[in-house]
Amino acid sequence: MNSRIISVIALFIVWVLATWATVDFEKPSIDSMKYIFVSLGGYGVISATLINIWNTWDTSKNISDQIKFDITENSFKYFERWDSSSLKEARDLTRKIKKDINKWSDDELLKKIKECESTERSVITTFNFWEEIYKSIIVNRVDPELLKESFGEVYCDMYVRFKVWREDKKKNNGGSNAMKALDELNKLWI
């Protein structure tokens, strides 16, 4: 801020000196006086324009900083949601499936998911969470690197673990848009 005040004062001094140098004070006239006043008016316009430009830069920087802050905050909201009770329950069930998945064929896994409404709801809830993250990345609401660092490994593991369920959803429920989003998120986070 101080440098701006010094700049405006320096501009004023240079402006006055330039005006002074161009006026013939040995033969004062009305035209000379008009020139001095027009010159001072010109300084007012130039200095006001300069101050407006600086204020616009400051405002743009503040808006840019606020947008970056909001993007980071949106990312942290996903961390909070990840620990919410509904997703915690869903994660617990998917972890249980992870422990037993080696014992089951793809058909058995799909059957176990479909047979139990709470299990299927948990899987759906978890993948809806991932789909929302992908859409937030696409529209630049979140910091993709921050989310990848925190969730990338977990998501890619779940993506592989529930491949048979995802393929079944693509084939039978017409949920291909949601599944495409999950596929794209996997590509981003591999």
Side-chain angles (χ1 to χ4, degrees):
M1 191 64 166
N2 289 337
S3 63
R4 292 179 183 182
I5 292 170
I6 292 169
S7 298
V8 170
I9 292 170
L11 177 63
F12 177 73
I13 292 169
V14 169
W15 200 277
V16 167
L17 291 175
T19 301
W20 185 274
T22 58
V23 173
D24 184 9
F25 287 104
E26 290 182 15
K27 299 179 188 174
S29 68
I30 292 180
D31 287 340
S32 295
M33 294 304 290
K34 286 180 186 176
Y35 179 74
I36 290 171
F37 289 122
V38 167
S39 178
L40 287 175
Y43 168 76
V45 169
I46 295 295
S47 62
T49 302
L50 185 61
I51 290 169
N52 281 334
I53 289 170
W54 284 332
N55 287 337
T56 302
W57 284 340
D58 288 344
T59 301
S60 294
K61 185 179 180 331
N62 288 341
I63 290 171
S64 177
D65 290 346
Q66 183 63 45
I67 289 170
K68 287 177 185 174
F69 178 80
D70 290 345
I71 284 173
T72 302
E73 280 300 301
N74 288 340
S75 300
F76 277 92
K77 286 178 184 173
Y78 280 108
F79 301 146
E80 291 171 17
R81 281 192 46 212
W82 184 246
D83 289 330
S84 70
S85 60
S86 63
L87 278 174
K88 187 174 183 318
E89 181 181 326
R91 288 191 343 252
D92 290 344
L93 281 169
T94 60
R95 282 187 193 117
K96 183 177 183 247
I97 290 171
K98 182 179 181 177
K99 288 180 185 176
D100 296 332
I101 202 165
N102 292 332
K103 300 176 192 173
W104 305 327
S105 68
D106 285 349
D107 291 336
E108 289 173 322
L109 173 61
L110 190 57
K111 182 179 176 188
K112 289 194 180 288
I113 293 171
K114 286 183 171 186
E115 280 179 350
C116 181
E117 187 178 325
S118 65
T119 301
E120 186 167 30
R121 187 174 346 139
S122 293
V123 172
I124 291 170
T125 300
T126 305
F127 279 103
N128 284 346
F129 175 79
W130 299 123
E131 179 185 4
E132 187 179 328
I133 284 180
Y134 175 73
K135 289 179 178 177
S136 292
I137 289 170
I138 295 305
V139 296
N140 298 316
R141 282 189 69 237
V142 293
D143 180 339
E145 292 304 313
L146 186 60
L147 292 176
K148 179 180 180 180
E149 181 182 315
S150 299
F151 293 129
E153 189 176 320
V154 173
Y155 174 72
C156 290
D157 178 54
M158 290 184 76
Y159 179 84
V160 171
R161 187 179 333 147
F162 292 101
K163 178 182 179 187
V164 66
W165 176 81
R166 287 183 299 98
E167 296 299 325
D168 182 67
K169 286 292 181 192
K170 284 180 190 177
K171 186 172 34 170
N172 296 325
N173 292 349
S176 61
N177 286 337
M179 295 303 135
K180 284 179 187 174
L182 297 174
D183 294 340
E184 292 301 317
L185 182 60
N186 187 61
K187 289 176 189 174
L188 282 175
W189 284 358
I190 287 182

